[in-house]
Coordinates of all heavy atoms in Angstrom, one line a residue:
M120 N 56.8 106.2 88.7 CA 58.0 105.4 88.4 C 59.3 106.2 88.9 O 59.3 107.4 88.7 CB 58.1 105.0 87.0 CG 59.1 104.0 86.7 SD 59.2 103.5 84.9 CE 57.7 102.5 84.9
L121 N 60.2 105.5 89.5 CA 61.4 106.2 89.9 C 62.4 106.3 88.8 O 62.6 105.4 88.0 CB 62.1 105.3 91.0 CG 61.4 105.2 92.3 CD1 62.2 104.2 93.3 CD2 61.2 106.5 93.0
G122 N 63.0 107.5 88.8 CA 64.1 107.7 87.9 C 65.4 107.1 88.3 O 65.5 106.7 89.5
Y123 N 66.4 107.0 87.5 CA 67.6 106.4 87.8 C 68.4 107.1 89.0 O 68.8 106.4 89.9 CB 68.5 106.3 86.6 CG 69.9 105.7 86.8 CD1 70.0 104.4 87.0 CD2 71.1 106.6 86.9 CE1 71.3 103.8 87.2 CE2 72.3 106.0 87.2 CZ 72.4 104.6 87.3 OH 73.6 104.1 87.6
E124 N 68.4 108.4 89.0 CA 69.0 109.2 90.0 C 68.3 109.0 91.3 O 69.0 108.9 92.4 CB 69.1 110.6 89.6 CG 70.1 111.0 88.5 CD 70.2 112.4 88.2 OE1 69.8 113.2 89.1 OE2 70.6 112.7 87.1
E125 N 67.0 108.9 91.3 CA 66.2 108.7 92.5 C 66.5 107.3 93.1 O 66.6 107.2 94.4 CB 64.7 108.8 92.2 CG 63.9 109.1 93.4 CD 62.5 109.5 93.0 OE1 62.2 109.6 91.9 OE2 61.6 109.6 94.0
K126 N 66.6 106.3 92.3 CA 67.0 105.0 92.7 C 68.4 105.0 93.4 O 68.6 104.4 94.4 CB 67.0 104.0 91.6 CG 65.6 103.6 91.1 CD 65.7 102.6 89.9 CE 64.4 102.3 89.3 NZ 64.5 101.4 88.2
L127 N 69.3 105.7 92.8 CA 70.6 105.7 93.3 C 70.6 106.4 94.7 O 71.3 106.0 95.6 CB 71.6 106.5 92.4 CG 72.1 105.7 91.2 CD1 73.0 106.5 90.3 CD2 72.8 104.4 91.6
E128 N 69.9 107.5 94.8 CA 69.8 108.2 96.0 C 69.2 107.4 97.2 O 69.7 107.3 98.3 CB 68.9 109.5 95.9 CG 69.6 110.6 95.1 CD 68.7 111.8 94.9 OE1 67.5 111.8 95.3 OE2 69.1 112.7 94.2
R129 N 68.2 106.5 96.8 CA 67.6 105.7 97.8 C 68.6 104.6 98.3 O 68.7 104.3 99.4 CB 66.3 105.0 97.3 CG 65.2 106.0 97.1 CD 63.9 105.3 96.6 NE 63.4 104.4 97.7 CZ 62.7 104.9 98.7 NH1 62.4 106.1 98.8 NH2 62.2 104.1 99.6
M130 N 69.4 104.1 97.3 CA 70.4 103.0 97.6 C 71.5 103.6 98.5 O 72.0 103.1 99.4 CB 70.9 102.4 96.3 CG 69.9 101.5 95.6 SD 70.4 101.0 94.0 CE 72.1 100.5 94.1
E131 N 71.9 104.9 98.2 CA 72.9 105.5 99.0 C 72.4 105.8 100.4 O 73.1 105.8 101.4 CB 73.3 106.9 98.3 CG 74.1 106.6 97.1 CD 74.4 107.9 96.3 OE1 74.0 109.0 96.8 OE2 75.1 107.9 95.3
L132 N 71.1 106.2 100.5 CA 70.5 106.4 101.8 C 70.5 105.1 102.7 O 70.8 105.1 103.8 CB 69.1 107.0 101.7 CG 68.4 107.4 103.0 CD1 69.2 108.3 103.7 CD2 67.0 107.9 102.6
I133 N 70.2 104.0 102.0 CA 70.2 102.7 102.7 C 71.6 102.4 103.2 O 71.9 102.0 104.3 CB 69.6 101.6 101.8 CG1 68.1 101.8 101.7 CG2 70.0 100.2 102.4 CD1 67.5 100.8 100.8
D134 N 72.6 102.7 102.3 CA 74.0 102.4 102.7 C 74.4 103.3 103.9 O 75.1 102.8 104.8 CB 74.9 102.7 101.5 CG 74.9 101.6 100.4 OD1 74.4 100.5 100.7 OD2 75.3 101.9 99.3
A135 N 74.0 104.6 103.8 CA 74.3 105.5 105.0 C 73.7 105.0 106.3 O 74.3 105.1 107.3 CB 73.8 106.9 104.6
V136 N 72.5 104.5 106.2 CA 71.8 104.0 107.4 C 72.5 102.8 107.9 O 72.8 102.7 109.1 CB 70.3 103.7 107.0 CG1 69.6 102.9 108.2 CG2 69.5 105.0 106.8
C137 N 73.0 102.0 107.0 CA 73.7 100.8 107.5 C 75.1 101.2 108.1 O 75.5 100.6 109.1 CB 73.9 99.8 106.3 SG 72.4 99.0 105.7
D138 N 75.7 102.2 107.5 CA 77.0 102.7 108.1 C 76.8 103.2 109.5 O 77.6 103.0 110.4 CB 77.6 103.8 107.2 CG 78.2 103.2 105.9 OD1 78.4 102.0 105.8 OD2 78.4 104.0 105.0
A139 N 75.7 103.9 109.6 CA 75.4 104.5 111.0 C 75.2 103.4 112.0 O 75.6 103.5 113.1 CB 74.2 105.5 110.9
G140 N 74.5 102.3 111.6 CA 74.3 101.2 112.4 C 75.6 100.5 112.8 O 75.7 100.2 114.0
R141 N 76.4 100.3 111.9 CA 77.8 99.8 112.2 C 78.5 100.7 113.2 O 79.2 100.2 114.1 CB 78.6 99.5 110.9 CG 78.1 98.4 110.1 CD 79.1 98.0 109.0 NE 79.1 99.0 107.9 CZ 78.2 99.0 106.9 NH1 77.3 98.0 106.8 NH2 78.3 100.0 106.0
L142 N 78.4 102.0 113.0 CA 79.1 102.9 113.9 C 78.6 102.8 115.3 O 79.3 102.7 116.3 CB 78.9 104.4 113.4 CG 79.5 105.5 114.3 CD1 81.0 105.3 114.4 CD2 79.1 106.8 113.7
A143 N 77.3 102.6 115.5 CA 76.7 102.5 116.8 C 77.2 101.2 117.4 O 77.5 101.1 118.6 CB 75.2 102.5 116.7
R144 N 77.3 100.1 116.6 CA 77.7 98.8 117.2 C 79.2 98.9 117.6 O 79.6 98.3 118.6 CB 77.5 97.7 116.2 CG 76.0 97.3 116.1 CD 75.8 96.0 115.2 NE 76.3 96.2 113.8 CZ 75.5 96.8 112.9 NH1 74.3 97.2 113.2 NH2 76.0 96.9 111.7
C145 N 80.0 99.6 116.8 CA 81.4 99.8 117.0 C 81.6 100.5 118.3 O 82.5 100.2 119.1 CB 82.2 100.4 115.9 SG 82.3 99.3 114.4
L146 N 80.8 101.6 118.5 CA 80.9 102.4 119.7 C 80.7 101.5 120.9 O 81.4 101.5 121.9 CB 79.9 103.5 119.7 CG 79.8 104.3 121.0 CD1 81.1 105.0 121.3 CD2 78.7 105.4 120.9
D147 N 79.7 100.7 120.9 CA 79.3 99.8 121.9 C 80.5 98.8 122.2 O 80.9 98.5 123.4 CB 78.1 99.0 121.6 CG 77.5 98.3 122.8 OD1 77.4 99.0 123.9 OD2 77.1 97.1 122.8
Q148 N 81.1 98.3 121.2 CA 82.3 97.4 121.3 C 83.4 98.1 121.9 O 84.2 97.5 122.8 CB 82.7 96.8 120.0 CG 81.7 95.8 119.4 CD 82.0 95.3 118.0 OE1 82.9 95.9 117.4 NE2 81.3 94.3 117.5
L149 N 83.7 99.3 121.6 CA 84.7 100.1 122.2 C 84.5 100.3 123.6 O 85.4 100.2 124.5 CB 84.8 101.4 121.4 CG 85.9 102.4 122.0 CD1 87.3 101.9 121.9 CD2 85.8 103.8 121.3
L150 N 83.3 100.7 124.0 CA 83.0 100.8 125.4 C 83.2 99.6 126.2 O 83.8 99.6 127.3 CB 81.5 101.3 125.6 CG 81.2 102.7 124.9 CD1 79.7 103.0 125.1 CD2 82.0 103.8 125.5
E151 N 82.8 98.4 125.7 CA 83.0 97.2 126.4 C 84.5 96.9 126.5 O 84.9 96.4 127.5 CB 82.3 96.0 125.6 CG 80.8 96.1 125.8 CD 80.2 94.9 125.1 OE1 80.8 93.8 125.1 OE2 79.0 95.0 124.8
S152 N 85.3 97.2 125.4 CA 86.7 96.9 125.5 C 87.4 97.7 126.6 O 88.2 97.2 127.3 CB 87.4 97.2 124.2 OG 86.9 96.3 123.2
L153 N 87.0 99.0 126.7 CA 87.6 99.9 127.7 C 87.2 99.4 129.1 O 88.0 99.4 130.0 CB 87.1 101.3 127.5 CG 87.7 102.1 126.3 CD1 86.9 103.4 126.2 CD2 89.1 102.3 126.5
A154 N 86.0 98.9 129.3 CA 85.6 98.4 130.5 C 86.3 97.1 130.9 O 86.8 97.0 132.1 CB 84.1 98.1 130.5
H155 N 86.5 96.2 130.0 CA 87.2 95.0 130.3 C 88.8 95.2 130.5 O 89.4 94.4 131.2 CB 87.0 94.0 129.1 CG 85.7 93.4 129.1 ND1 85.1 92.8 130.2 CD2 84.8 93.4 128.1 CE1 83.8 92.4 129.8 NE2 83.6 92.8 128.6
A156 N 89.3 96.3 129.9 CA 90.7 96.6 130.1 C 91.0 97.4 131.4 O 92.1 97.8 131.6 CB 91.2 97.3 128.9
D157 N 90.0 97.6 132.2 CA 90.1 98.3 133.4 C 90.7 99.7 133.2 O 91.5 100.2 134.0 CB 90.9 97.5 134.4 CG 90.2 96.3 135.0 OD1 89.0 96.3 135.0 OD2 90.9 95.3 135.3
Q158 N 90.3 100.3 132.1 CA 90.8 101.7 131.8 C 89.8 102.7 132.1 O 89.9 103.9 131.7 CB 91.2 101.8 130.3 CG 92.3 100.9 129.9 CD 92.6 101.0 128.4 OE1 92.0 101.7 127.7 NE2 93.7 100.3 128.0
L159 N 88.8 102.4 133.0 CA 87.8 103.3 133.3 C 87.9 103.5 134.8 O 88.0 102.6 135.6 CB 86.4 102.8 133.0 CG 86.1 102.5 131.5 CD1 84.8 101.8 131.4 CD2 86.1 103.8 130.8
D160 N 87.8 104.8 135.2 CA 87.7 105.0 136.7 C 86.2 105.1 137.0 O 85.3 105.2 136.1 CB 88.5 106.3 137.1 CG 87.9 107.6 136.4 OD1 86.7 107.8 136.4 OD2 88.7 108.3 135.9
P161 N 85.8 105.0 138.3 CA 84.4 105.0 138.6 C 83.6 106.2 138.1 O 82.4 106.1 137.8 CB 84.5 105.1 140.2 CG 85.8 104.5 140.5 CD 86.7 104.9 139.4
L162 N 84.2 107.3 137.9 CA 83.5 108.5 137.4 C 83.1 108.3 135.9 O 82.1 108.9 135.4 CB 84.3 109.8 137.5 CG 84.5 110.2 139.0 CD1 85.4 111.5 138.9 CD2 83.2 110.5 139.7
D163 N 83.9 107.5 135.2 CA 83.5 107.3 133.8 C 82.4 106.3 133.6 O 81.8 106.3 132.5 CB 84.8 106.7 133.0 CG 85.9 107.7 132.9 OD1 85.6 108.9 132.9 OD2 87.1 107.2 132.8
V164 N 82.1 105.5 134.6 CA 81.1 104.5 134.4 C 79.7 105.0 134.1 O 79.0 104.6 133.1 CB 81.0 103.6 135.7 CG1 79.8 102.6 135.6 CG2 82.3 102.8 135.9
E165 N 79.3 106.1 134.7 CA 78.0 106.7 134.4 C 78.0 107.2 133.0 O 77.0 107.1 132.3 CB 77.8 107.9 135.4 CG 76.4 108.5 135.3 CD 76.1 109.6 136.3 OE1 76.6 109.5 137.5 OE2 75.4 110.5 136.0
G166 N 79.0 107.9 132.6 CA 79.1 108.4 131.2 C 79.1 107.2 130.2 O 78.4 107.3 129.1
I167 N 79.8 106.1 130.5 CA 79.8 105.0 129.6 C 78.4 104.4 129.5 O 78.0 104.0 128.4 CB 80.8 103.9 130.1 CG1 82.2 104.4 130.1 CG2 80.7 102.6 129.4 CD1 82.7 104.8 128.7
L168 N 77.7 104.2 130.6 CA 76.4 103.7 130.6 C 75.4 104.6 129.8 O 74.6 104.1 129.0 CB 75.8 103.5 132.0 CG 76.5 102.4 132.8 CD1 76.0 102.4 134.3 CD2 76.4 101.1 132.2
A169 N 75.6 105.9 129.9 CA 74.8 106.8 129.1 C 75.1 106.6 127.6 O 74.1 106.6 126.8 CB 75.0 108.2 129.5
L170 N 76.4 106.5 127.2 CA 76.7 106.3 125.8 C 76.2 105.0 125.3 O 75.7 105.0 124.2 CB 78.2 106.4 125.6 CG 78.8 107.8 125.7 CD1 80.4 107.7 125.6 CD2 78.3 108.6 124.5
R171 N 76.3 104.0 126.1 CA 75.8 102.7 125.7 C 74.3 102.8 125.4 O 73.8 102.2 124.4 CB 76.1 101.6 126.7 CG 75.5 100.3 126.3 CD 75.8 99.2 127.3 NE 77.1 98.7 126.9 CZ 77.8 97.9 127.6 NH1 77.5 97.6 128.8 NH2 79.0 97.5 127.2
S172 N 73.5 103.4 126.3 CA 72.1 103.6 126.2 C 71.8 104.3 124.9 O 70.9 103.9 124.1 CB 71.5 104.3 127.3 OG 70.1 104.5 127.1
I173 N 72.5 105.4 124.6 CA 72.3 106.2 123.4 C 72.6 105.3 122.1 O 71.9 105.3 121.2 CB 73.1 107.4 123.4 CG1 72.6 108.4 124.5 CG2 73.1 108.1 122.0 CD1 73.5 109.6 124.8
S174 N 73.7 104.5 122.3 CA 74.2 103.7 121.2 C 73.1 102.7 120.8 O 72.8 102.4 119.7 CB 75.4 103.1 121.5 OG 75.8 102.1 120.6
E175 N 72.5 102.1 121.9 CA 71.5 101.0 121.7 C 70.2 101.6 121.0 O 69.6 101.1 120.1 CB 71.2 100.4 123.0 CG 72.2 99.5 123.4 CD 72.0 99.0 124.9 OE1 71.0 99.3 125.5 OE2 72.9 98.1 125.4
I176 N 69.8 102.8 121.5 CA 68.6 103.5 120.9 C 68.9 103.8 119.5 O 68.0 103.6 118.6 CB 68.3 104.7 121.8 CG1 67.7 104.3 123.1 CG2 67.2 105.6 121.0 CD1 67.7 105.5 124.1
C177 N 70.1 104.3 119.2 CA 70.4 104.7 117.8 C 70.4 103.4 116.9 O 69.9 103.5 115.8 CB 71.8 105.4 117.7 SG 71.7 107.0 118.4
A178 N 71.0 102.4 117.4 CA 71.0 101.2 116.6 C 69.6 100.7 116.3 O 69.4 100.2 115.1 CB 71.8 100.1 117.3
E179 N 68.7 100.7 117.2 CA 67.4 100.3 117.0 C 66.7 101.1 116.0 O 66.0 100.7 115.1 CB 66.6 100.3 118.3 CG 67.0 99.2 119.3 CD 66.3 99.4 120.6 OE1 65.3 100.2 120.7 OE2 66.7 98.7 121.6
R180 N 66.8 102.5 116.1 CA 66.2 103.4 115.2 C 66.7 103.3 113.8 O 66.0 103.4 112.8 CB 66.2 104.8 115.7 CG 65.4 105.0 117.0 CD 65.5 106.4 117.5 NE 64.7 107.3 116.7 CZ 64.7 108.6 116.8 NH1 65.4 109.1 117.8 NH2 64.0 109.3 116.0
I181 N 68.0 103.1 113.7 CA 68.7 102.9 112.4 C 68.2 101.6 111.8 O 68.0 101.6 110.6 CB 70.2 102.9 112.6 CG1 70.7 104.3 112.9 CG2 71.0 102.4 111.4 CD1 72.1 104.4 113.5
G182 N 68.1 100.6 112.6 CA 67.6 99.3 112.0 C 66.2 99.5 111.5 O 65.8 99.0 110.4
D183 N 65.3 100.2 112.2 CA 63.9 100.4 111.8 C 63.9 101.2 110.5 O 63.2 100.9 109.6 CB 63.2 101.2 112.9 CG 62.9 100.4 114.1 OD1 63.0 99.2 114.1 OD2 62.6 101.1 115.2
A184 N 64.8 102.3 110.4 CA 64.8 103.1 109.2 C 65.3 102.3 108.0 O 64.7 102.4 106.9 CB 65.7 104.3 109.4
A185 N 66.3 101.4 108.2 CA 66.7 100.6 107.1 C 65.6 99.6 106.6 O 65.5 99.4 105.4 CB 68.0 99.8 107.5
R186 N 64.9 99.0 107.6 CA 63.8 98.1 107.2 C 62.7 98.8 106.4 O 62.2 98.3 105.4 CB 63.3 97.4 108.4 CG 64.2 96.3 108.9 CD 63.5 95.5 110.0 NE 63.4 96.3 111.3 CZ 64.4 96.4 112.2 NH1 65.6 95.9 111.9 NH2 64.2 97.1 113.3
I187 N 62.4 100.1 106.8 CA 61.4 100.8 106.2 C 61.8 101.2 104.7 O 61.1 101.0 103.8 CB 61.1 102.1 106.9 CG1 60.3 101.8 108.2 CG2 60.3 103.1 106.1 CD1 60.2 103.0 109.2
L188 N 63.1 101.6 104.6 CA 63.6 101.9 103.3 C 63.6 100.7 102.3 O 63.2 100.8 101.1 CB 65.0 102.5 103.3 CG 65.0 103.9 103.8 CD1 66.5 104.3 104.1 CD2 64.4 104.9 102.8
E189 N 64.0 99.6 102.9 CA 64.1 98.4 102.0 C 62.7 97.9 101.7 O 62.5 97.5 100.5 CB 64.9 97.3 102.8 CG 66.3 97.5 102.9 CD 67.1 96.6 103.9 OE1 66.4 95.8 104.6 OE2 68.3 96.7 103.9
A190 N 61.7 98.0 102.6 CA 60.4 97.6 102.2 C 59.8 98.6 101.2 O 59.1 98.2 100.2 CB 59.5 97.7 103.5
Q191 N 60.1 99.9 101.3 CA 59.6 100.8 100.3 C 60.2 100.5 98.9 O 59.5 100.5 97.9 CB 59.9 102.3 100.7 CG 59.1 102.8 101.8 CD 59.6 104.2 102.2 OE1 60.7 104.6 101.9 NE2 58.8 104.9 103.0
N192 N 61.5 100.2 98.9 CA 62.1 99.9 97.6 C 61.5 98.6 97.1 O 61.3 98.6 95.8 CB 63.6 99.6 97.9 CG 64.4 100.9 97.9 OD1 63.9 102.0 97.6 ND2 65.7 100.8 98.3
E193 N 61.2 97.6 97.8 CA 60.6 96.4 97.3 C 59.3 96.7 96.6 O 59.0 96.2 95.6 CB 60.4 95.4 98.4 CG 61.7 94.7 98.8 CD 62.4 93.9 97.7 OE1 61.7 93.2 97.0 OE2 63.6 94.1 97.6
V194 N 58.5 97.6 97.3 CA 57.2 97.9 96.7 C 57.4 98.7 95.4 O 56.7 98.4 94.5 CB 56.3 98.8 97.8 CG1 55.1 99.3 97.1 CG2 56.0 97.9 99.0
L195 N 58.3 99.7 95.5 CA 58.5 100.5 94.3 C 59.0 99.7 93.1 O 58.5 99.8 92.0 CB 59.4 101.6 94.6 CG 58.9 102.7 95.6 CD1 60.0 103.6 96.0 CD2 57.8 103.5 94.9
Y196 N 60.0 98.8 93.4 CA 60.5 97.9 92.3 C 59.4 96.9 91.8 O 59.4 96.6 90.6 CB 61.7 97.2 92.8 CG 62.9 98.1 93.1 CD1 63.9 97.8 94.1 CD2 63.0 99.4 92.6 CE1 64.9 98.6 94.4 CE2 64.0 100.3 92.9 CZ 65.0 99.8 93.8 OH 66.0 100.7 94.1
A197 N 58.6 96.4 92.7 CA 57.5 95.5 92.3 C 56.5 96.2 91.4 O 56.1 95.7 90.3 CB 56.8 94.9 93.5
E198 N 56.2 97.5 91.7 CA 55.4 98.3 90.9 C 56.0 98.6 89.5 O 55.3 98.5 88.5 CB 55.0 99.6 91.6 CG 54.1 99.5 92.7 CD 53.9 100.8 93.5 OE1 54.5 101.8 93.1 OE2 53.1 100.8 94.4
E199 N 57.3 98.8 89.5 CA 58.0 99.0 88.2 C 57.9 97.8 87.3 O 57.7 97.9 86.2 CB 59.4 99.5 88.5 CG 59.5 101.0 88.8 CD 61.0 101.4 88.9 OE1 61.9 100.5 88.8 OE2 61.2 102.6 89.2
R200 N 58.2 96.6 88.0 CA 58.2 95.4 87.2 C 56.8 95.1 86.6 O 56.7 94.7 85.5 CB 58.7 94.2 88.1 CG 60.2 94.3 88.3 CD 60.7 93.0 89.0 NE 60.1 92.8 90.3 CZ 60.6 93.2 91.5 NH1 61.8 93.9 91.5 NH2 60.0 93.0 92.6
A201 N 55.8 95.4 87.4 CA 54.4 95.1 87.0 C 54.1 96.1 85.8 O 53.4 95.6 84.9 CB 53.5 95.3 88.2
N202 N 54.5 97.3 85.9 CA 54.2 98.3 84.9 C 55.0 98.0 83.6 O 54.6 98.3 82.5 CB 54.5 99.7 85.3 CG 53.5 100.1 86.4 OD1 52.3 99.6 86.5 ND2 53.8 101.0 87.2
A203 N 56.2 97.4 83.7 CA 57.1 97.1 82.6 C 56.7 95.9 81.8 O 57.1 95.7 80.7 CB 58.5 97.0 83.1
K204 N 55.9 95.0 82.4 CA 55.5 93.7 81.8 C 54.5 94.0 80.7 O 53.6 94.7 80.9 CB 54.9 92.8 82.7 CG 56.0 92.2 83.7 CD 55.3 91.1 84.6 CE 56.2 90.6 85.6 NZ 55.6 89.6 86.5
P205 N 54.8 93.4 79.5 CA 53.8 93.6 78.4 C 52.6 92.7 78.7 O 52.7 91.7 79.3 CB 54.5 93.1 77.2 CG 55.6 92.2 77.7 CD 56.0 92.8 79.0
C206 N 51.4 93.2 78.4 CA 50.2 92.5 78.6 C 50.1 91.4 77.6 O 50.4 91.5 76.4 CB 48.9 93.4 78.4 SG 48.9 94.7 79.6
G207 N 49.8 90.2 78.1 CA 49.7 89.0 77.2 C 48.5 88.9 76.4 O 48.4 88.1 75.4
N208 N 47.5 89.7 76.6 CA 46.2 89.6 75.9 C 46.2 90.6 74.7 O 45.1 90.7 74.0 CB 45.0 89.9 76.8 CG 44.9 88.9 77.9 OD1 45.3 87.8 77.7 ND2 44.3 89.3 79.0
Q209 N 47.2 91.3 74.4 CA 47.2 92.2 73.4 C 47.7 91.6 72.1 O 48.5 90.9 71.9 CB 48.0 93.5 73.7 CG 47.4 94.3 74.8 CD 48.2 95.6 75.1 OE1 49.4 95.7 74.6 NE2 47.7 96.4 75.9

């Protein structure tokens, strides 16, 4: 059974994963804005494409991590609820 502090730590970890996902999406939006504003010279394009690729990979991995954590929490909370229910046959 999870203790209160452990539950808080898991929730904070999920929040951090979500924040990292938002950061990756914001980076992608910033790169697109710079490209549309014609503020990039041809030498920057290669770097921008590399950053976008890294951003997309990070966003995917962050999303996977968040789904795993949320699924683990669901299982742990379901186990806690099952263990906390009084038996009706007693």
Side-chain angles (χ1 to χ4, degrees):
M120 187 176 289
L121 291 176
Y123 179 74
E124 289 182 22
E125 200 172 353
K126 287 180 185 178
L127 284 179
E128 287 175 2
R129 291 184 70 79
M130 289 171 43
E131 288 174 0
L132 184 56
I133 289 173
D134 287 343
V136 167
C137 292
D138 288 344
R141 283 191 290 273
L142 178 62
R144 287 187 298 277
C145 289
L146 174 61
D147 196 46
Q148 290 173 352
L149 175 63
L150 296 175
E151 285 184 30
S152 294
L153 288 172
H155 289 303
D157 291 331
Q158 295 179 357
L159 299 172
D160 62 50
L162 294 177
D163 291 334
V164 172
E165 186 175 328
I167 295 299
L168 293 176
L170 284 174
R171 174 177 277 169
S172 175
I173 292 168
S174 173
E175 289 170 356
I176 291 168
C177 288
E179 288 173 14
R180 293 181 72 189
I181 288 165
D183 291 343
R186 284 187 289 281
I187 290 167
L188 286 170
E189 289 169 354
Q191 287 176 343
N192 279 350
E193 287 299 316
V194 170
L195 291 170
Y196 296 153
E198 288 175 358
E199 281 187 357
R200 286 190 296 271
N202 291 334
K204 288 183 183 179
C206 295
N208 294 334
Q209 292 181 349

